């Protein structure tokens, strides 16, 4: 059982290699402080993020998922993020319609030069997930009862 | 309905095709089943009525029929599914003779039972958009399947022969009973309570997937070992994973036929999910599956001004 008093959200962040991952790196080397709740997974492109990755992270107990890629027009592969945007839109709308909290799955565009912005995005995501509390609806049942 | 026409045409078609995929009565009343008619003397088994809910496009994919010249009876949604299958390279147009049937909708037996109690076939007479129960004439609208009440395309978009006359109204407008819209109106928590209850019921038999004409993957993500996306346990969280995953695989491909939910043994209205995705696609990406074979499917293309406000 999650101890609600000491609970800190776990956020899985899928960051594209060319922009957001580099942005996170810049935040790091610039010593910009941001909450330690994110677990970063580097992916080649936001377009390579299969929605099943997001569902799986949530089922395995993530309280929130952040997917971040290059700004529109800046994709290293030219249009991966445009394709991604359609998929993410459908996933987000469907989950929200089913009754999942909107804050559980969030998206951002962060470029390689936006270290400060990356820190801010993480800050915002962590705060919004803290407000809604631990994830319950999509998590494997036995993780909720150990 | 249309039986004389269907049988006469089938006799003719059997000169050039190996078989006609249609429907025959099943062993239970109020239930027709798919039937492959290969001999002229068997055409008398062919029927068409308000209980022909299975999407016949599914049967074009079975190994033995795949490369043969086949005629197929196609309601509007079956024809839409065939259009998608052709577009996706699963069947060859030149192998098919499509016998289109304008469709007035399929009747939900449960709705009949609710209204009339235990059902006796002899109490009913069936007409295109009405039924007679012990002499009383009633509109068919309230008894239709949920997906048929919200149908936007009652006429097949693709056919070689057309049986009967085109339907002249849009069912969704006429019956004005859209299950999706009803759910849209309740709060998020109420929707969750509803869906959580449904995911609780699912036994993950995969009948929904197996009856869907467009879920034809040789290896479904639900049964993959690498990656091992989800376990076979029919727990609510795994069930939700499966159904959300499947609905996204159907995005821009689901023809809103409802075959999946008719097949469900525990009466989960599971077509709500893929149909919701199609509704989002219709509204935001201006696309409907199986209508225009030349239009690029929505997830294989994009527009620079697609909805993006949800991204920080
Ligand atoms: S047919 Fe019904 S019970 Fe079977 S997997 Fe689909 S939703 Fe679940
Ligand atoms: S998902 Fe259901 S409604 Fe959509 S095409 Fe498949 S069987 Fe038909
Ligand atoms: S659910 Fe997805 S992977 Fe499985 S058969 Fe359908 S489309 Fe294929």
């Amino acid at each position: 059982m999650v101890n609600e008093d000491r609970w800190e959200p776990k956020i899985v962040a899928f960051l594209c290699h060319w922009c957001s991952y580099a942005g996170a790196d810049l935040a790091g080397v610039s010593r910009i402080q941001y909450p330690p709740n994110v677990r970063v997974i580097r992916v080649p492109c936001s377009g390579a993020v299969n929605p099943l990755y997001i569902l799986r992270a949530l089922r395995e107990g993530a309280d929130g998922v952040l997917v971040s890629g290059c700004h529109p027009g800046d994709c290293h592969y030219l249009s991966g993020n445009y394709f991604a945007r359609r998929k993410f839109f459908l996933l987000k709308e469907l989950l929200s319609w089913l009754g999942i909290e909107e804050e559980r799955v969030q998206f951002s565009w962060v470029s390689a030069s936006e270290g400060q912005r990356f820190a801010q995005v993480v800050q915002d995501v962590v705060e919004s997930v803290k407000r809604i509390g631990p994830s319950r609806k999509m998590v494997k049942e036995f993780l909720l009862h150990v | 309905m249309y039986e004389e026409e269907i049988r006469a045409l089938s006799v003719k078609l059997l000169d050039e095709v190996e078989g006609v995929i249609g429907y025959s009565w099943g062993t239970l009343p109020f239930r027709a089943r798919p039937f492959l008619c290969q001999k002229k003397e068997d055409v008398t088994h062919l029927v068409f009525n308000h209980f022909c809910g299975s999407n016949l496009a599914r049967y074009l994919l079975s190994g033995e029929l795949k490369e043969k010249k086949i005629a197929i009876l196609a309601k509007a949604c079956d024809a839409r599914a065939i259009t998608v299958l052709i577009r996706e390279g699963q069947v060859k147009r030149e192998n098919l003779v499509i016998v289109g049937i304008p469709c007035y909708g399929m009747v939900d037996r449960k709705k009949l039972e609710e209204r009339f109690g235990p059902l006796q076939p002899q109490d009913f007479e069936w007409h295109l958009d009405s039924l007679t129960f012990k002499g009383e004439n009633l509109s068919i609208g309230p008894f239709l399947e949920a997906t048929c009440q919200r149908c936007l395309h009652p006429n097949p978009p693709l056919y070689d022969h057309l049986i009967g006359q085109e339907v002249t109204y849009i069912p969704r407008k006429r019956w004005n009973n859209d299950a999706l819209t009803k759910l849209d109106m309740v709060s998020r928590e109420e929707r969750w309570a509803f869906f959580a209850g449904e995911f609780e019921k699912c036994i993950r038999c995969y009948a929904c997937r197996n009856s869907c004409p467009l879920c034809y993957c040789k290896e479904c993500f639900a049964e993959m070992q690498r990656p091992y996306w989800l376990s076979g346990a029919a727990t609510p969280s795994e069930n939700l994973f499966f159904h959300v995953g499947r609905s996204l695989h159907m995005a821009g491909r689901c023809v809103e036929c409802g075959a999946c939910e008719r097949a469900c043994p525990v009466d989960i209205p599971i077509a709500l999910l893929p149909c919701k995705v199609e509704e989002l696609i219709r509204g935001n990406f201006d696309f409907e599956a199986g209508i225009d074979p030349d239009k690029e499917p929505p997830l294989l293309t994009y527009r620079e001004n697609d909805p993006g406000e949800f991204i920080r």
Side-chain angles (χ1 to χ4, degrees):
Chain A
M1 223 38 151
V2 185
N3 183 334
E4 305 263 351
D5 304 333
R6 284 189 296 133
W7 170 75
E8 278 289 329
K10 287 192 288 285
I11 311 289
V12 173
F14 295 99
L15 307 182
C16 92
H17 170 77
W18 302 97
C19 293
S20 299
Y21 190 82
D25 201 33
L26 180 62
V29 295
S30 317
R31 303 255 179 266
I32 304 170
Q33 294 283 328
Y34 62 85
N37 306 62
V38 286
R39 276 70 165 165
V40 172
I41 298 176
R42 183 173 61 157
V43 291
C45 175
S46 53
V49 176
N50 186 333
L52 296 180
Y53 297 171
I54 301 173
L55 297 176
R56 179 131 184 209
L58 291 165
R59 191 193 43 160
E60 298 297 327
D63 297 296
V65 172
L66 168 67
V67 183
S68 190
C70 310
H71 287 273
D74 291 352
C75 176
H76 183 78
Y77 306 100
L78 305 180
S79 53
N81 51 359
Y82 284 124
F83 289 99
R85 186 166 62 179
R86 286 196 160 194
K87 282 188 272 183
F88 298 155
F89 172 76
L90 295 175
L91 172 69
K92 192 166 171 66
E93 291 289 320
L94 179 61
L95 289 181
S96 148
W97 187 70
L98 292 174
I100 308 297
E101 307 87 348
E102 298 222 29
E103 293 84 348
R104 295 282 173 223
V105 187
Q106 304 196 36
F107 303 91
S108 65
W109 305 132
V110 171
S111 80
S113 61
E114 294 177 319
Q116 189 68 52
R117 182 173 149 75
F118 179 77
Q120 190 59 48
V121 166
V122 170
Q123 182 88 38
D124 294 348
V125 169
V126 170
E127 271 170 24
S128 64
V129 172
K130 271 189 177 160
R131 273 197 299 277
I132 56 170
S135 179
R136 290 271 180 261
K137 294 173 178 170
M138 296 183 70
V139 182
K140 268 184 188 171
E141 287 69 15
F142 76 80
L143 289 180
L144 293 175
H145 302 295
V146 282
Chain B
M1 293 177 314
Y2 303 133
E3 263 122 32
E4 297 305 313
E5 253 178 293
I6 291 172
R7 290 171 190 170
L9 180 61
S10 302
V11 170
K12 262 192 250 156
L13 290 175
L14 279 168
D15 287 332
E16 46 162 322
V17 300
E18 305 241 0
V20 178
I21 305 179
Y23 300 95
S24 68
W25 279 117
T27 43
L28 296 168
F30 301 98
R31 207 182 275 218
R33 67 178 172 199
F35 173 57
L36 172 64
C37 178
Q38 290 185 288
K39 298 193 206 109
K40 289 186 183 179
E41 59 265 33
D42 287 343
V43 297
T44 47
H45 295 302
L46 286 167
V47 299
F48 188 76
N49 50 53
H50 291 293
F51 303 95
C52 295
S54 28
N55 193 319
L56 294 181
R58 173 85 207 175
Y59 299 90
L60 292 174
L61 300 171
S62 78
E64 48 171 331
L65 298 184
K66 219 171 165 177
E67 295 301 323
K68 293 187 178 155
K69 183 127 177 131
I70 285 288
I72 179 167
L73 232 58
K75 309 185 290 295
C77 49
D78 304 37
R80 286 176 68 188
I82 294 169
T83 306
V84 178
L85 290 174
I86 294 170
R87 162 97 206 190
E88 294 180 353
Q90 295 302 313
V91 290
K92 295 200 189 87
R93 178 69 182 95
E94 60 271 24
N95 281 350
L96 299 178
V97 180
I98 302 170
V99 181
I101 306 191
C103 182
Y104 288 82
M106 293 296 130
V107 164
D108 186 337
R109 262 173 304 130
K110 292 183 293 290
K111 292 181 182 167
L112 288 180
E113 270 163 13
E114 261 164 43
R115 170 73 186 270
F116 304 113
L119 301 178
Q120 299 298 335
Q122 61 273 20
D123 292 344
F124 292 87
E125 261 175 63
W126 297 97
H127 322 289
L128 291 176
D129 65 348
S130 67
L131 61 96
T132 311
F133 176 73
K134 296 187 177 168
E136 184 191 0
N137 198 264
L138 298 161
S139 160
I140 207 157
F143 304 103
L144 293 179
E145 306 253 6
T147 43
C148 298
Q149 287 174 333
R150 62 187 302 280
C151 172
L152 288 173
H153 297 284
N155 295 309
L158 175 75
Y159 56 82
D160 300 301
H161 303 271
L162 191 71
I163 300 279
Q165 302 291 315
E166 295 215 332
V167 180
T168 52
Y169 57 87
I170 308 277
R172 190 184 293 186
K173 289 207 182 121
R174 176 150 178 199
W175 310 124
N176 192 24
N177 186 22
D178 184 351
L180 277 188
T181 315
K182 278 190 208 153
L183 271 167
D184 285 343
M185 310 228 277
V186 307
S187 73
R188 185 192 309 245
E189 283 314 311
E190 282 172 90
R191 272 200 304 272
W192 174 252
F194 168 72
F195 282 115
E198 298 300 322
F199 293 134
E200 187 97 29
K201 274 161 49 186
C202 173
I203 55 171
R204 284 267 292 297
C205 62
Y206 299 130
C208 47
R209 178 197 66 187
N210 294 359
S211 59
C212 172
L214 299 162
C215 261
Y216 54 72
C217 300
K218 292 262 180 325
E219 192 183 17
C220 175
F221 83 101
E223 284 146 349
M224 264 178 206
Q225 297 295 318
R226 275 172 201 228
Y228 187 55
W229 292 112
L230 69 163
S231 91
T235 54
S237 67
E238 304 278 348
N239 294 343
L240 180 143
F241 189 118
F242 169 64
H243 289 299
V244 173
R246 186 175 101 81
S247 303
L248 293 171
H249 287 183
M250 299 312 295
R253 309 173 58 241
C254 166
V255 296
E256 303 158 287
C257 66
C260 48
E261 70 183 28
R262 274 169 220 140
C264 179
V266 292
D267 291 337
I268 298 174
I270 200 63
L272 284 170
L273 271 69
C275 288
K276 172 68 183 178
V277 174
E278 292 319 300
E279 211 52 46
L280 288 166
I281 289 173
R282 190 176 274 125
N284 293 281
F285 306 143
D286 183 31
F287 184 87
E288 297 186 290
I291 300 293
D292 176 357
D294 297 323
K295 206 163 170 182
E296 191 79 300
L299 293 188
L300 299 185
T301 184
Y302 63 87
R303 279 184 306 222
E304 290 189 4
N305 63 351
D306 279 335
E309 305 72 40
F310 67 98
I311 304 177
R312 284 170 191 277

